[in-house]
Amino acid sequence: MTTEQFKEQYSSANYLPVDYYPWPNLINPHVEQMGRDMDSWIDKDYTFLTEKQREKYKKMRLHYCTARMVPNLSYEHVMPCNKFMLFYVVVDDQLEYAPIEEIEHQCERLTAILKGDDPRPDENGMYLHAALIRDEYRAFMPEEWMERFIEDFYRTFRYGIGVETPYKAATRPPSLVLFKAIRQHSVLMYPYLCWAEIQPGLVLPKHIAEHPIMQHIKNLMVRVIAWQNDFHSLPKEIAHKTEVFNLIPVLQLEHKISLDEACTKAFHIHNEELAEILALHMEYREFGVYQEHVDKYVHNFGLMIQGVNTFYLRDTMRYLAGGEGFAWPEKESAVTTPKKCITNGRT
């Protein structure tokens, strides 16, 4: 089968259909208002983007992803989550072709704002949103949670977005072993998983959150979402030589097999890690008085996995074949004058 034939026949729903996962498939009742909010932010605060890019972000309907990941949150609690969804997607997209130095600069600056710095007058709405996200979360989440959230943001930004850059420039992925290690961070999911604790009385104490079993379950959850993303984004990515961070083409190259055979191998990896999550949660019941908290936490993780999968299949134009629904940065601006695109107030 040629690549063109594969693209014509491929459907991610043949591997990961709606309701594939063993958790409820829910959506936040505030989803419509969340959409109006996000469109308003795009129009009023993300004006450093081109009009074409802003329209593409609206068509992505990222508020549906938020609403499916945290279906049980109140409007007050879901607001900063929805802001963060748009914020981190835009940051990741618009640094697609940026040099590592620029990625590191943006990582340090945005992390500083999340920790308490105020945006400067010359910084655009993206920096304002970083401050709003910080303040809105601090209104109802404890400092211990904020520290974990910010640390997860920093690690994924610093070791996820930046580490991919040389491989994209070379249009060749790393080995499968190294790819898996990098992909765990480059999917950028760790700060989103902090949302599993946004519920009265659910924030895990440090000794539970840092427990090796909890950390391993969290890592597995991130990898399952990464492989899920790779199935759904494949039609977008095989059309672009720089989009080398996808499990399926990596397996194809590593094992010298067809894309169809690589899909089968990727599906097996996804299912093995999903089964490991379920087995660990069922077998290890040694969290004492916090066992109920852990059960709810893992359940909330599961809602996210199920919800993101449904978002890909039903709600968004982000992953259209060939990348037509993606808000690609302008290569010249992103590489030669990245601060014009990201740092300065308006373009």
Side-chain angles (χ1 to χ4, degrees):
M1 184 187 298
T2 66
T3 300
E4 288 305 312
Q5 289 172 326
F6 174 84
K7 287 193 287 188
E8 289 176 5
Q9 297 180 21
Y10 179 80
S11 172
S12 58
N14 291 336
Y15 297 92
L16 301 172
V18 171
D19 294 328
Y20 181 78
Y21 299 95
W23 294 283
N25 195 351
L26 307 174
I27 190 166
N28 195 290
H30 304 290
V31 62
E32 297 303 327
Q33 181 59 49
M34 291 163 65
R36 289 189 288 270
D37 292 341
M38 190 172 285
D39 284 353
S40 176
W41 301 331
I42 291 169
D43 284 336
K44 295 178 181 178
D45 300 328
Y46 283 76
T47 52
F48 60 93
L49 299 171
T50 66
E51 184 177 351
K52 181 180 178 181
Q53 287 171 327
R54 292 197 299 273
E55 287 306 308
K56 286 197 172 185
Y57 280 116
K58 290 179 186 178
K59 290 179 181 179
M60 289 179 196
R61 303 208 301 172
L62 296 169
H63 63 285
Y64 268 90
C65 192
T66 313
R68 294 191 185 281
M69 289 177 72
V70 283
N72 299 316
L73 294 190
S74 67
Y75 180 66
E76 176 194 2
H77 290 179
V78 84
M79 177 77 83
C81 298
N82 206 29
K83 278 193 176 79
F84 183 74
M85 176 65 71
L86 175 64
F87 164 82
Y88 210 11
V89 168
V90 171
V91 169
D92 184 30
D93 290 353
Q94 298 310 309
L95 290 173
E96 178 79 13
Y97 305 120
I100 291 177
E101 295 79 10
E102 177 63 15
I103 292 169
E104 291 176 352
H105 167 76
Q106 297 299 337
C107 177
E108 296 296 334
R109 180 63 190 137
L110 290 169
T111 300
I113 292 174
L114 288 175
K115 288 182 174 180
D117 277 12
D118 290 327
R120 298 190 302 265
D122 65 323
E123 290 178 324
N124 64 39
M126 189 179 71
Y127 298 85
L128 171 63
H129 271 240
L132 291 173
I133 290 162
R134 173 198 69 208
D135 294 343
E136 288 175 17
Y137 275 140
R138 280 187 168 154
F140 58 84
M141 294 303 291
E143 191 60 30
E144 185 176 355
W145 182 91
M146 287 296 301
E147 289 174 2
R148 284 207 290 266
F149 173 75
I150 294 168
E151 176 62 21
D152 283 345
F153 171 78
Y154 178 84
R155 285 191 304 110
T156 54
F157 199 147
R158 180 67 178 80
Y159 305 115
I161 298 175
V163 176
E164 285 188 349
T165 301
Y167 298 101
K168 288 185 174 183
T171 67
R172 185 176 179 85
S175 67
L176 178 62
V177 170
L178 182 55
F179 165 80
K180 285 183 175 181
I182 295 172
R183 188 71 174 114
Q184 188 168 308
H185 285 83
S186 71
V187 73
L188 308 183
M189 278 306 301
Y190 283 101
Y192 293 98
L193 294 188
C194 292
W195 294 353
E197 294 178 87
I198 302 178
Q199 186 172 322
L202 187 58
V203 176
L204 298 176
K206 187 175 182 179
H207 74 282
I208 299 295
E210 295 181 355
H211 192 287
I213 298 296
M214 285 299 299
Q215 288 295 306
H216 190 55
I217 289 175
K218 191 174 180 179
N219 292 341
L220 288 167
M221 289 279 189
V222 167
R223 291 206 294 267
V224 166
I225 291 179
W227 312 146
Q228 180 192 89
N229 175 270
D230 288 353
F231 272 99
H232 293 298
S233 64
L234 184 63
K236 170 182 81 76
E237 292 173 348
I238 58 178
H240 291 264
K241 290 183 178 180
T242 60
E243 294 300 290
V244 297
F245 265 75
N246 185 300
L247 178 62
I248 294 163
V250 170
L251 287 167
Q252 180 192 26
L253 187 64
E254 183 96 359
H255 296 289
K256 297 179 174 58
I257 56 179
S258 69
L259 277 170
D260 194 49
E261 291 169 318
C263 284
T264 301
K265 281 187 174 291
F267 190 49
H268 179 71
I269 291 170
H270 168 280
N271 287 346
E272 274 196 332
E273 297 195 336
L274 175 62
E276 189 174 346
I277 293 167
L278 299 173
L280 276 174
H281 180 228
M282 182 178 295
E283 181 175 348
Y284 193 83
R285 314 293 296 172
E286 305 299 327
F287 291 107
V289 295
Y290 292 104
Q291 186 62 57
E292 187 176 343
H293 288 67
V294 170
D295 291 343
K296 184 64 176 176
Y297 189 57
V298 173
H299 175 78
N300 287 346
F301 277 170
L303 294 179
M304 292 182 187
I305 291 177
Q306 186 80 279
V308 173
N309 192 57
T310 303
F311 166 74
Y312 288 134
L313 293 167
R314 289 184 172 173
D315 303 322
T316 189
M317 297 179 67
R318 181 173 170 82
Y319 299 103
L320 291 177
E324 290 302 313
F326 195 80
W328 300 99
E330 295 178 11
K331 282 193 176 184
E332 181 179 353
S333 296
V335 173
T336 62
T337 56
K339 290 184 181 180
K340 180 180 178 184
C341 291
I342 303 292
T343 307
N344 290 344
R346 300 289 184 265
T347 60

